[in-house]
Amino acid sequence: MRVPVWTVAILTALVGGSAAAAAQDSISSPRMKTLSGAGTAGRVEAVEAFWREIGATGAPLVEPIEGAPKEVLVTFLWRERERIENLVVAGSALGSDPTKNRLQHLEGTDVWYKTMRLPSDLRTVYRFAVNPPAGTMGTPVHARPDPLNPKWFLYPKDPDDPASIEIKRSLLELPGAPAQPWIVKRNEVPAGSVSLERFTSQVLDNTRRVFVYTPAGYASDHAPYPLALVFDGAAYIGLVPTPTILDNLIAAGKIPPVVAVLVDNPNAETRNRELDCYPPFVDFIAHELLPWVRGKYRVTHDPARTVAAGSSGGGQASMCLGQHHPELVGNVLAQSGSFFEEPTRPIGDEWVYRHLVTGAKLPLKFYLDVGRFEPAFSVTGVRVMRDVLEAKGYPLTYQEFSGGHDYSWWRGTLADGLIALLGRPKSSSRRR
């Protein structure tokens, strides 16, 4: 069975995510206090009015906190008249402890709720686990999107895998979450083209999909185009609208016209192996794929105009490719890079850190980001990488966002990374 990479990301986020809101038991929503305080005689009318309000505004319920402008109260809601044994809200930035994420039942009503104190700039996907085994977040069979939330995030079915399914998650974007203007398709913006290739590697002895984006007006007699290599290719077509992002950035003059090669994985097992600084995969990119791309498309040979990009394991692969072959790739764009994957293993055992610390400074430029509510070892790994790069004097753009290990953020920060690396020159280190 072919397991899409986004399924791996979902499971990683739900199982290992750090809680954005700890010790929530004492937190109460003013709106829910009012509802629970309604007298018996007026309870039915009050609940009906409440659901009409939610129907008009959508869920979750978001309320300000007096004296805390950077935080809000978020109340997740579920409407159910039948008995529920266990109802849990789960998300990549909401924590993985079911005892803290369990919804309460407002006695005598069909209202179930859970209030959390969250950063006002949080963005995350979430779902409800209905009647999962006690003490767990359940499995996909228990998963439900929020029927009261009109915003959702779709993990599409893989057309190459008849066993894969479409997965729908609800999307929480709080008022302070930065806009993601580059992901929206605009009719007035000229669209590039995407072609699907099947590439067989002799080094790896496997075949994979390769999606090639060429910008609007692409011409074989044009000056060589900058090149972006993007790992987890199907995810960066189906979850991150990379062609649309490139169209918009190019049209706005944020980056020059660029050719992008989105490299897919044959399956989940090969992904886990190949993107983890696997020498044969590095050889495949350097000695098979790049020569093929440069022979077929009008792209640069200049490493300063070539980017390797990806998220999670794809960020790790980008870092390894840049370190092994700075003569080919001069820019590394790593979104929530999995530089430190084993919590029990010292960071000094990780090749990417040791090579940077002990080796000579390479002609590389970097963009890194990470979600503050990713698993603690993941956040630490990226922050350590940031500190190593800064200590060595590498050009670096770095940012942290209020979210988890989550494509709902990566689809926005991809543009930030491309602008930082391919746009106008920036200062040597910039944090956001």
Side-chain angles (χ1 to χ4, degrees), residues 52-77:
R52 284 196 298 272
E53 173 190 334
I54 296 302
T57 62
L61 175 66
V62 179
E63 299 170 282
I65 301 174
E66 186 175 355
K70 293 186 177 181
E71 294 181 299
V72 292
L73 291 178
V74 177
T75 302
F76 296 91
L77 297 164

Side-chain angles (χ1 to χ4, degrees), residues 336-340 353 370-371 374-383 405:
S336 302
S338 297
F339 308 129
F340 179 38
Y353 299 105
V370 70
E374 298 189 35
F377 68 87
S378 179
V379 180
T380 298
V382 177
R383 288 174 177 170
H405 205 69

Side-chain angles (χ1 to χ4, degrees), residues 28-29 56 72 138 145 148 169 178 234-235 271-272 282 290-291 340 342 426:
S28 297
S29 153
V72 292
L148 301 172
R169 293 288 179 261
R271 176 188 188 271
N272 293 337
V282 173
L290 269 176
F340 179 38
E342 297 294 335
K426 305 292 183 183

Side-chain angles (χ1 to χ4, degrees), residues 209-284:
R209 293 174 294 189
V210 175
F211 305 87
V212 181
Y213 165 90
T214 51
Y218 170 84
S220 58
D221 58 353
H222 189 279
Y225 293 88
L227 174 64
L229 291 171
V230 185
F231 299 112
D232 288 326
Y236 277 79
I237 292 289
L239 295 174
V240 178
T242 304
T244 295
I245 292 167
L246 293 173
D247 290 341
N248 289 334
L249 291 177
I250 293 167
K254 297 294 184 179
I255 63 173
V258 59
V259 171
V261 178
L262 296 85
V263 186
D264 203 14
N265 315 293
N267 53 52
E269 186 274 328
T270 55
R271 176 188 188 271
N272 293 337
R273 179 178 67 251
E274 292 176 354
L275 299 188
D276 190 22
C277 281
Y278 184 55
F281 183 75
V282 173
D283 290 342
F284 153 66

Side-chain angles (χ1 to χ4, degrees), residues 68-412:
K70 293 186 177 181
E71 294 181 299
V72 292
L73 291 178
V74 177
T75 302
F76 296 91
L77 297 164
W78 185 268
R79 189 173 192 179
E80 182 66 61
R81 296 188 182 279
E82 300 298 323
R83 179 176 176 81
I84 299 176
E85 297 296 334
N86 197 10
L87 179 61
V88 177
V89 61
S92 64
L94 301 177
S96 57
D97 184 346
T99 64
K100 294 180 179 178
N101 286 23
R102 192 170 180 176
L103 275 67
Q104 299 172 257
H105 182 217
L106 185 58
E107 193 65 33
T109 75
D110 58 357
V111 178
W112 297 75
Y113 67 99
K114 174 64 184 176
T115 302
M116 295 183 175
R117 184 170 180 147
L118 299 172
S120 59
D121 60 349
L122 180 74
R123 174 183 283 114
T124 188
V125 295
Y126 70 96
R127 47 88 170 179
F128 289 109
V130 183
N131 288 329
T136 76
M137 291 293 191
T139 64
V141 73
H142 304 101
R144 303 285 190 279
D146 185 347
L148 301 172
N149 184 352
K151 292 185 176 181
W152 47 270
F153 195 91
L154 185 67
Y155 300 79
K157 173 182 170 61
D158 185 339
D160 273 19
D161 178 13
S164 76
I165 60 172
E166 180 180 276
I167 299 174
K168 189 174 182 180
R169 293 288 179 261
S170 295
L171 177 64
L172 173 64
E173 292 180 301
L174 293 182
Q180 297 178 324
W182 308 113
I183 69 173
V184 180
K185 192 169 183 62
R186 305 171 188 176
N187 292 333
E188 71 276 12
V189 169
S193 299
V194 177
S195 62
L196 172 61
E197 307 276 358
R198 305 277 177 175
F199 194 95
T200 299
S201 168
Q202 301 302 314
V203 172
L204 296 171
D205 191 27
N206 59 29
T207 300
R208 71 193 63 228
R209 293 174 294 189
V210 175
F211 305 87
V212 181
Y213 165 90
T214 51
Y218 170 84
S220 58
D221 58 353
H222 189 279
Y225 293 88
L227 174 64
L229 291 171
V230 185
F231 299 112
D232 288 326
Y236 277 79
I237 292 289
L239 295 174
V240 178
T242 304
T244 295
I245 292 167
L246 293 173
D247 290 341
N248 289 334
L249 291 177
I250 293 167
K254 297 294 184 179
I255 63 173
V258 59
V259 171
V261 178
L262 296 85
V263 186
D264 203 14
N265 315 293
N267 53 52
E269 186 274 328
T270 55
R271 176 188 188 271
N272 293 337
R273 179 178 67 251
E274 292 176 354
L275 299 188
D276 190 22
C277 281
Y278 184 55
F281 183 75
V282 173
D283 290 342
F284 153 66
I285 297 292
H287 303 306
E288 292 186 317
L289 187 66
L290 269 176
W292 173 80
V293 171
R294 286 171 171 162
K296 187 169 182 177
Y297 295 92
R298 183 68 168 163
V299 296
T300 186
H301 285 66
D302 182 0
R305 300 171 68 229
T306 304
V307 178
S311 55
S312 191
Q316 166 85 313
S318 300
M319 183 70 70
C320 293
L321 180 61
Q323 290 187 53
H324 277 293
H325 289 288
E327 80 285 2
L328 299 177
V329 172
N331 300 277
V332 173
L333 194 167
Q335 301 174 279
S336 302
S338 297
F339 308 129
F340 179 38
E341 294 190 341
E342 297 294 335
T344 59
R345 191 165 65 187
I347 286 180
D349 288 350
E350 301 289 336
W351 180 87
V352 287
Y353 299 105
R354 288 187 284 106
H355 190 261
L356 283 169
V357 170
T358 61
K361 185 180 175 183
L362 301 171
L364 295 172
K365 187 164 62 171
F366 296 89
Y367 168 89
L368 305 181
D369 65 31
V370 70
R372 298 184 188 94
F373 307 119
E374 298 189 35
F377 68 87
S378 179
V379 180
T380 298
V382 177
R383 288 174 177 170
V384 169
M385 180 61 73
R386 171 201 65 194
D387 293 345
V388 168
L389 294 173
E390 289 185 334
K392 295 285 283 192
Y394 279 103
L396 167 67
T397 298
Y398 177 81
Q399 70 170 320
E400 294 186 5
F401 51 82
S402 289
H405 205 69
D406 193 331
Y407 282 106
S408 70
W409 269 102
W410 298 333
R411 66 179 182 174

